[in-house]
């Protein structure tokens, strides 16, 4: 009997004990239901939460131990601000150990529960489910990376977007996924799928944290990046795209303040939501499909009604969030297990929103509201309630509150069970069976971390953009790179950061980074194109001191003696562009006759047209990682030609994404027959026969497709670009037979036409402003079949005609168009001269002797006549002046001559 009881207990336990301890593997969906049915309310509630903790201590006296032991939390998020990472060179190894410790602790607490210190009894086992271990590692170093040392330094999303190359996006994602999974992370907050349609530098600037400003390309880059994350991690990484439903149009950063965007749901679907459609319902493959969406704290006036201060953000608004998630593009993804994850609840924006009416900040109410709005996973962050001492106390009270409400409120319990089922199903996607052996990766994988710098250099080389001048004008503006005898001063935007609060400080971009890169590539050991003593580096803080007249040593003298001034900025958070603007405005004397080169290692839109006009050359690099500094040095010495194009609008050079994405007017759109290819029979050794030339006759349907239509940057136009196909019957009785508007997919448009009339038929395609295409011709006969002929028009650049100067014949009685006086003018001038002579003589005989009066009159007469003759003969080009001034100019000139003549007569009378 005792043996039977033991066997029965063993069989029951085997339903949810992992295979590593002799149990059967639990497969979803049965496994999810079994696990969920075996969980206590505390265990179910705990799965909903992602928590943070301070430090790396996981012993039984630590807060994280207690949260895992008593509250069964579902996951943790590691942050550098919470000192979860060690300093270099141990960052990678210590991070691996921390995650291994967390997952092992979670396993042991479930499978080998501790002894109750009060009763001395072994505590009951809990249901084991692996922890989510999450991180936000966006790229580009601090502040958007959490791990600052040891990993491959990967670029920002905007740098990837500037390559316009989805393969590079996939490769970067693959490196990111492989390295994070090797450390033990299984939850990734990213990529950002925000669309920066109109860059906003006043506030809420996302900078280089986005792929770009066109929804189609943001979606394509995002899809490739997500695919890379999944393949690189071997599908052991949950990808949570952010910041749903899109914050690119906001004027505040979501972590700082709850902002409002004035857009309707239809506008959201076209811009903000479009990239999220691409990685959910339109993802095309499981690899390119995100596992969850991070819901941002933002409001949309278009469909949330009249926004007031008390209107909840979408993340807290059940009606608004449901309205978005019920869209067809999300519905299938959601029903397949897609997770909805709240953004960080510990941000200032959430606290300010809840306390604006004067109430105390209640973290329990915040968590309840965001959960009931429709979020499955609640990211608590460093949340602190007004009635709690710290984040740990706040977190425990939230969990206690949820467990109590689960027991008291059946509707709430049902809502919890639904989300927990989704969470467990997501964890089953990561691991075939819940075993510590499957959850903790091998330490051997750490050796490959940090070694994939080649992909970062490829992105840097292909993204580098010449913002100003144009590439065509560059050789004229800057014909030569720095010469061996020329001085260069580097002014670099640098800031100090650290991996943890007790870790040593280091510069995110060293003050002499570009100087050292230049010396390494072009110094005495590498071609001797420059020398150390000809290069000097200063920080922008030094420049600030110079402008504030604090008289820092040497900088003014070095800039004054330099031939080149190279300015590098890494972001705009501390007013760096304004400082550069102040420099070029207040001290033009220091920059006179110098080449001023500006490198933006961040977004390129911080300078206006006036600023850019004062730069000799302005480059956008989009990222400050070491490979991008190397590319900047190569650009400075003109070894590389920049091939990237900005993925966002730049008002300062009138670069607009809408125009950039439009079809290139200078292309000939290729046209092809859209033929269906028959798959070759397998298992045969025969050589496939050549494809026969298709023949068409009356009654047939002909399929047509374009080639890839290019935009003004030379890339395929976005999906949805309108193309118009036209069929024209030439000859007598001909005309347009049919016009069909279709849209492109991956740059290609397709259509079909029925052949129902005999005659010479021509088919063309137009995609404004590209209006020239190849022509498909068919001489359709009513009796036989004919082949299609392709006519390629010759694309000639329009000859710019010399502007014809139209000379308009002015109707004038006094001055000809050539600038000579007419006869009528002569008559009037003679009468005017005679009148002035008479006035002069009459006045003279009253004031002086008659002889003096006569000489004055003669002087006036001669002066007037000489002035008129000067004009009449058009001496020294005076005719052009007279043609513009007309009769009034004539009379003025004659009067001036008379005055000079009078002066000469007066002098004559005194002799």
């Amino acid at each position: 009997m005792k043996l039977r009881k033991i066997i029965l207990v063993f069989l029951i336990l085997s339903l949810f004990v992992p295979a590593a301890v002799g149990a059967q593997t639990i497969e979803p969906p049965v496994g999810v239901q079994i696990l969920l049915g075996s969980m206590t309310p505390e265990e179910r509630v705990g799965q909903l939460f992602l928590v943070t903790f301070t430090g790396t201590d996981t012993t039984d006296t630590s807060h994280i131990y207690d949260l895992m032991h008593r509250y069964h939390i579902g996951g943790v998020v590691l942050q550098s601000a919470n000192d979860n990472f060690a300093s270099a060179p141990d960052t990678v190894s210590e991070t691996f150990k921390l995650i291994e410790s967390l997952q092992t602790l979670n396993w042991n607490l479930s499978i080998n529960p501790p002894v109750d210190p009060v009763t001395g009894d072994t505590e009951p086992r809990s249901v084991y489910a692996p922890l989510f271990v999450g991180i936000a590692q966006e790229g580009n170093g601090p502040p958007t990376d959490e791990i600052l040392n040891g990993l491959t330094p990967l670029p920002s999303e905007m740098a990837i977007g500037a390559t316009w190359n989805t393969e590079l996006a996939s490769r970067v994602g693959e490196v990111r996924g492989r390295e994070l999974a090797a450390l033990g992370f299984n939850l990734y907050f990213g990529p950002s799928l925000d669309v920066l349609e109109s860059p906003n530098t006043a506030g809420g600037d996302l900078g280089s944290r986005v792929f770009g400003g066109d929804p189609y390309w943001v979606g394509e880059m995002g899809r490739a990046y997500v695919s890379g994350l999944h393949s690189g991690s071997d599908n052991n990484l949950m990808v949570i795209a952010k910041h749903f439903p899109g914050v690119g149009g906001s004027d505040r950063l979501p972590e700082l303040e709850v902002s409002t965007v004035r857009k309707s749901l239809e506008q959201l679907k076209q811009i903000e939501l479009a990239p999220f459609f691409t990685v959910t319902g339109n993802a095309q493959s499981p690899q390119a499909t995100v596992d969850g969406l991070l819901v941002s704290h933002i409001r949309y006036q278009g469909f949330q009604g009249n926004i007031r201060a008390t209107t909840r953000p979408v993340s807290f608004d059940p009606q608004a969030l449901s309205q978005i998630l019920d869209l067809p593009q999300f519905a299938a993804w959601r029903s397949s297990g897609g997770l909805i994850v709240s953004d960080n609840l510990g941000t200032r924006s959430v606290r300010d929103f809840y306390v604006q009416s004067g109430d105390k900040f209640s973290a329990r109410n915040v968590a309840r509201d965001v959960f009931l709005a429709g979020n499955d996973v609640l990211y608590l962050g460093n949340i602190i309630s007004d009635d709690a001492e710290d984040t740990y106390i706040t977190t425990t009270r939230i969990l206690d509150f949820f467990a109590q409400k689960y027991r008291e409120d059946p509707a709430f319990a049902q809502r919890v069970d639904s989300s927990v089922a989704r969470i467990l199903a997501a964890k089953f996607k990561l691991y075939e069976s819940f075993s510590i052996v499957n959850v903790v990766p091998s330490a051997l994988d750490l050796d490959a971390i940090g070694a994939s710098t080649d992909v970062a250099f490829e992105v840097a080389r292909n993204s580098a953009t010449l913002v100003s001048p144009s590439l065509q004008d560059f050789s004229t503006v800057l014909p030569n790179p720095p010469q061996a005898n020329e001085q260069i001063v580097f002014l670099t935007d640098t800031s100090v950061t650290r991996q943890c609060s007790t870790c040593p400080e280091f510069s995110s971009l060293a003050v002499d980074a570009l100087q050292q890169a230049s010396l390494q590539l072009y110094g005495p050991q590498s071609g001797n194109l420059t020398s150390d003593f000809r290069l000097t580096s200063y920080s922008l803080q030094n420049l600030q001191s110079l402008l504030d007249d604090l008289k820092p040593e040497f900088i003014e003298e070095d800039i004054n003696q330099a031939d080149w001034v190279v300015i590098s900025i890494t972001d705009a958070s501390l007013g760096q562009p304004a400082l550069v603007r102040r420099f070029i405005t207040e001290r033009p004397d220091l920059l006179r006759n110098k080449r001023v080169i500006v490198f933006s290692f961040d977004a390129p839109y911080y300078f206006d047209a006036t600023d850019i006009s004062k730069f000799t050359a302005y480059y956008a690099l989009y990222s400050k990682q070491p490979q991008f500094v190397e590319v900047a040095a190569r650009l400075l010495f003109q070894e590389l030609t920049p091939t990237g194009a900005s993925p966002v609008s730049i008002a300062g050079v009138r670069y607009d994404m809408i125009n950039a994405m439009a079809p290139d007017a200078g292309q000939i759109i290729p046209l092809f027959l859209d033929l269906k290819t028959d798959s070759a029979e397998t298992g045969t050794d025969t050589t496939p026969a050549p494809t026969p030339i298709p023949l068409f006759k009356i009654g047939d349907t002909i399929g047509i497709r374009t080639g890839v239509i290019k935009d003004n940057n030379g890339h395929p136009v976005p999906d949805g670009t309108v193309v118009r196909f036209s069929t024209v019957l030439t000859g007598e009785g001909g005309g347009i037979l049919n016009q069909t508007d279709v849209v492109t997919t991956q740059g290609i448009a397709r259509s079909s036409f029925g052949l129902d009339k005999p005659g010479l038929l021509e088919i063309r395609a137009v995609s404004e402003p590209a209006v020239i295409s190849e022509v498909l011709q068919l001489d359709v006969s009513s009796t036989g079949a004919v082949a299609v002929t392709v006519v390629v028009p010759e694309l000639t650049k329009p000859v710019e005609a010399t502007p014809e100067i139209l000379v308009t014949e002015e109707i004038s009685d006094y001055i000809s168009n050539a600038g000579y006086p007419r006869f009528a003018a002569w008559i009037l001038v003679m009468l005017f001269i005679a009148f002035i002579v008479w006035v002069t003589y009459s006045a003279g005989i009253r004031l002086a002797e008659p002889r003096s009066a006569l000489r004055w009159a003669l002087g006036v007469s001669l002066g007037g006549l000489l002035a008129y003759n000067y004009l009449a003969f058009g001496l020294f080009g005076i005719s052009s002046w007279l043609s513009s001034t007309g009769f009034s100019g004539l009379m003025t000139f004659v009067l001036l001559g008379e005055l000079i003549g009078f002066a000469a007569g007066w002098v004559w009378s005194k002799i």
Side-chain angles (χ1 to χ4, degrees):
M1 179 65 77
K2 193 174 292 187
L3 179 60
R4 288 180 181 177
K5 289 184 178 179
I6 292 173
I7 293 174
L8 181 60
V9 170
F10 175 79
L11 289 174
I12 293 173
L13 290 175
S14 68
L15 292 176
F16 55 89
V17 175
V21 291
Q24 64 183 24
T25 300
I26 305 173
E27 298 289 343
V30 177
V32 170
Q33 297 304 319
I34 292 176
L35 284 182
L36 184 60
S38 304
M39 285 180 165
T40 65
E42 286 76 13
E43 291 171 342
R44 299 183 189 200
V45 163
Q47 288 296 313
L48 301 175
F49 293 93
L50 296 173
V51 305
T52 59
F53 63 98
T54 302
T56 58
D57 181 18
T58 60
T59 62
D60 57 6
T61 60
S62 64
H63 290 162
I64 189 60
Y65 178 95
D66 187 58
L67 290 173
M68 295 169 67
H69 175 211
R70 292 198 298 129
Y71 295 95
H72 314 284
I73 48 110
V76 299
V77 177
L78 303 187
Q79 298 178 344
S80 59
N82 289 332
D83 291 345
N84 296 140
F85 304 108
S87 61
D90 302 321
T91 310
V92 166
S93 60
E94 291 301 315
T95 301
F96 175 83
K97 291 177 183 178
L98 174 60
I99 297 174
E100 180 185 38
S101 174
L102 290 168
Q103 294 287 16
T104 303
L105 174 61
N106 185 46
W107 167 267
N108 288 334
L109 288 173
S110 300
I111 306 305
N112 302 306
V115 175
D116 188 319
V118 178
T119 65
D121 297 331
T122 301
E123 297 179 2
R125 291 188 177 187
S126 58
V127 175
Y128 171 71
L131 281 175
F132 279 141
V133 182
I135 190 172
Q137 188 83 0
E138 296 183 13
N140 197 31
T144 51
D145 277 344
E146 297 294 338
I147 300 177
L148 307 180
N149 303 286
L151 300 183
T152 298
L154 293 178
S156 67
E157 287 188 13
M158 189 173 286
I160 300 170
T163 68
W164 304 86
N165 187 327
T166 55
E167 182 181 350
L168 281 175
S170 179
R171 288 175 59 191
V172 173
E174 187 174 344
V175 173
R176 175 72 75 213
R178 182 172 61 249
E179 295 189 346
L180 291 181
L183 288 173
F185 289 102
N186 56 18
L187 185 71
Y188 177 68
F189 294 125
S192 167
L193 298 181
D194 301 307
V195 180
L196 202 58
E197 185 183 14
S198 299
N200 175 24
T201 58
D205 178 36
L206 293 170
S208 60
R209 298 171 60 188
V210 298
F211 284 118
D214 180 79
Y216 167 76
W217 277 104
V218 171
E220 290 298 300
M221 290 294 178
R223 175 157 52 195
Y225 193 86
V226 169
S227 181
L229 287 166
H230 280 141
S231 61
S233 65
D234 198 20
N235 292 313
N236 285 329
L237 192 67
M238 299 287 292
V239 179
I240 313 297
K242 59 184 184 181
H243 303 87
F244 183 77
V247 300
S250 69
D251 55 3
R252 304 285 191 279
L253 290 175
E255 59 266 28
L256 299 180
E257 185 177 350
V258 175
S259 61
T260 299
V261 175
R262 298 178 183 271
K263 285 192 177 182
S264 66
L265 184 57
E266 284 303 314
Q267 291 174 311
L268 282 179
K269 287 162 64 176
Q270 295 173 12
I271 305 294
E272 275 81 359
L273 289 174
F276 293 98
F277 293 157
T278 305
V279 296
T280 51
N282 302 334
Q284 299 180 353
S285 72
Q287 288 289 88
T289 304
V290 296
D291 304 287
L293 298 173
L294 189 77
V295 185
S296 185
H297 309 311
I298 191 169
R299 297 179 292 205
Y300 288 95
Q301 185 160 353
F303 69 96
Q304 284 186 275
N306 186 23
I307 299 294
R308 303 180 184 276
T310 56
T311 302
R312 293 185 172 189
V314 170
S315 50
F316 290 86
D317 187 336
Q319 288 77 27
L321 186 56
S322 175
Q323 189 177 356
I324 296 174
L325 293 177
D326 286 344
L327 293 172
Q329 295 87 342
F330 295 126
W333 170 82
R334 183 74 171 138
S335 64
S336 298
L339 286 176
I340 302 300
V341 183
S342 79
D343 205 345
N344 190 342
L345 299 178
T347 59
R348 191 181 83 188
S349 60
V350 174
R351 168 175 284 275
D352 290 348
F353 175 76
Y354 269 85
V355 301
Q356 62 183 325
S357 60
D359 297 334
K360 289 187 176 181
F361 182 68
S362 172
R364 293 181 301 177
N365 292 341
V366 170
R368 177 202 60 201
D369 293 347
V370 78
F371 177 66
L372 294 178
N375 294 274
D376 299 309
V377 180
L378 311 185
Y379 175 21
L380 295 182
N382 294 336
I383 191 168
I384 302 178
S385 192
D386 281 348
D387 59 355
E389 302 173 12
D390 53 27
T391 298
Y392 163 70
I393 297 296
T394 302
T395 302
T396 59
R397 290 178 178 175
I398 292 173
L399 288 158
D400 286 334
F401 171 72
F402 266 62
Q404 179 182 353
K405 192 166 180 61
Y406 183 96
R407 288 185 168 90
E408 295 173 352
D409 186 345
F412 185 82
Q414 185 178 6
R415 173 74 182 85
V416 170
D417 289 347
S418 175
S419 289
V420 173
R422 285 181 179 275
I423 294 167
L424 293 176
K427 292 183 177 181
F428 266 118
K429 283 177 61 178
L430 293 173
Y431 311 108
E432 293 181 358
S433 63
F434 287 177
S435 166
I436 191 65
V437 176
N438 294 332
V439 173
V440 176
S442 170
L444 298 177
D445 296 336
L446 298 180
D447 295 337
I449 289 180
S452 301
T453 55
D454 56 329
V455 66
F457 181 78
E458 281 299 302
V459 172
R461 187 169 62 85
N462 286 279
S463 65
T465 303
L466 179 62
V467 178
S468 177
S470 66
L471 202 56
Q472 293 80 2
D473 296 336
F474 181 79
S475 59
T476 303
V477 175
L478 202 62
N480 298 306
Q483 302 300 300
N485 62 341
E486 291 183 321
Q487 306 278 345
I488 306 176
V489 170
F490 298 96
L491 302 175
T492 304
D493 176 18
T494 184
S495 60
V496 174
T497 188
R498 58 178 70 194
Q499 181 65 81
C500 63
S501 61
T502 59
C503 297
E505 292 182 342
F506 64 93
S507 296
S508 57
L509 180 66
V511 66
D512 62 345
L514 195 48
Q515 175 180 340
Q516 294 304 318
S518 299
L519 284 173
Q520 182 178 355
L521 293 169
Y522 307 105
Q525 306 302 318
S526 305
N528 203 25
L529 298 181
T530 189
S531 303
D532 191 14
F533 69 91
R534 298 190 183 278
L535 310 180
T536 52
S537 296
Y538 296 95
S539 67
L540 289 190
Q541 288 87 345
N542 298 137
L543 179 63
Q544 174 88 49
S545 298
L546 173 64
L547 297 178
D548 291 343
D549 202 24
L550 299 179
K551 304 192 183 307
E553 287 188 324
F554 309 125
I555 181 173
E556 184 169 4
E557 293 81 358
D558 285 340
I559 294 176
N560 199 38
Q561 295 173 10
D563 301 286
W564 297 70
V565 176
V566 180
I567 304 172
S568 300
I569 63 170
T570 59
D571 64 38
S573 60
L574 299 177
Q576 296 93 322
L579 179 63
V580 174
R581 185 177 300 115
R582 182 184 169 194
F583 175 44
I584 60 179
T585 302
E586 294 182 8
R587 297 303 305 268
D589 57 303
L590 290 179
L591 300 176
R592 192 173 295 118
N593 300 323
K594 293 176 173 56
R595 272 79 81 198
V596 179
I597 312 298
V598 177
F599 291 109
S600 175
F601 291 98
D602 193 56
Y605 46 71
Y606 297 117
F607 294 106
D608 59 30
T610 302
D611 300 330
I612 295 173
S613 69
K614 298 175 183 178
F615 304 154
T616 310
Y618 177 34
Y619 295 93
L621 277 300
Y622 311 101
S623 183
K624 58 180 177 292
Q625 300 287 34
Q627 293 75 20
F628 290 78
V629 177
E630 177 184 337
V631 166
R634 294 179 186 273
L635 290 171
L636 177 62
F637 283 85
Q638 299 184 16
E639 179 185 335
L640 285 181
T641 299
T643 59
S646 174
V648 292
S649 298
I650 308 174
V653 291
R654 301 184 67 183
Y655 176 82
D656 179 71
M657 286 303 298
I658 294 177
N659 294 330
M661 298 294 95
D664 180 7
Q667 66 184 309
I668 297 176
I669 300 174
L671 288 183
F672 304 95
L673 294 174
D674 196 13
L675 302 175
K676 294 182 179 179
T677 57
D678 296 328
S679 57
E681 295 182 5
T682 59
T684 62
D685 296 330
T686 57
T687 303
T691 303
I693 298 174
L695 302 176
F696 299 93
K697 60 182 183 298
I698 292 289
D700 287 348
T701 298
I702 180 170
I704 307 297
R705 69 173 177 86
T706 68
V708 176
I709 301 175
K710 300 295 183 67
D711 65 18
N712 285 303
N713 281 332
H715 308 296
V717 294
D719 284 5
T721 300
V722 176
V723 178
R724 171 168 292 180
F725 287 96
S726 301
T727 57
V728 179
L729 189 64
T730 63
E732 186 176 352
I736 298 176
L737 296 181
N738 196 350
Q739 285 187 335
T740 303
D741 287 348
V742 296
V743 295
T744 58
T745 300
Q746 296 182 341
I748 297 173
R750 287 179 164 84
S751 187
S752 60
F753 301 96
L755 304 179
D756 52 8
K757 285 188 178 181
L760 182 59
L761 189 69
E762 293 185 347
I763 302 175
R764 292 181 169 85
V766 170
S767 184
E768 295 285 352
V771 296
I772 302 176
S773 75
E774 295 178 348
V775 181
L776 300 185
Q777 289 184 342
L778 297 89
D779 193 0
V780 183
S781 169
S782 57
T783 58
V786 295
V788 176
T789 301
V790 180
V791 179
V792 181
E794 182 179 353
L795 183 65
T796 57
K797 292 185 178 180
V799 178
E800 294 185 3
T802 303
E804 183 179 352
I805 301 175
L806 299 177
V807 180
T808 304
E809 188 74 21
E810 255 186 58
I811 301 175
S812 172
D813 294 331
Y814 306 109
I815 307 297
S816 71
N817 287 332
Y820 297 99
R822 295 182 186 275
F823 179 74
W826 179 80
I827 293 293
L828 291 176
V829 168
M830 294 303 106
L831 291 174
F832 178 71
I833 292 174
F835 174 72
I836 298 299
V837 168
W838 176 78
V839 169
T840 303
Y841 182 76
S842 299
I845 59 176
R846 289 180 173 83
L847 299 174
E849 298 177 357
R851 186 181 66 172
S852 296
L854 180 61
R855 291 181 177 180
W856 294 352
L858 287 174
V860 169
S861 175
L862 289 173
L865 290 172
L866 288 173
Y868 175 79
N869 287 325
Y870 187 90
L871 293 174
F873 289 107
L875 300 178
F876 302 105
I878 194 67
S879 56
S880 60
W881 173 82
L882 185 58
S883 66
S884 62
T885 58
F887 183 70
S888 61
L890 170 66
M891 298 305 293
T892 301
F893 196 81
V894 170
L895 180 59
L896 178 63
E898 289 178 325
L899 291 173
I900 295 173
F902 173 78
W906 184 82
V907 172
W908 184 22
S909 68
K910 296 298 181 180
I911 297 175

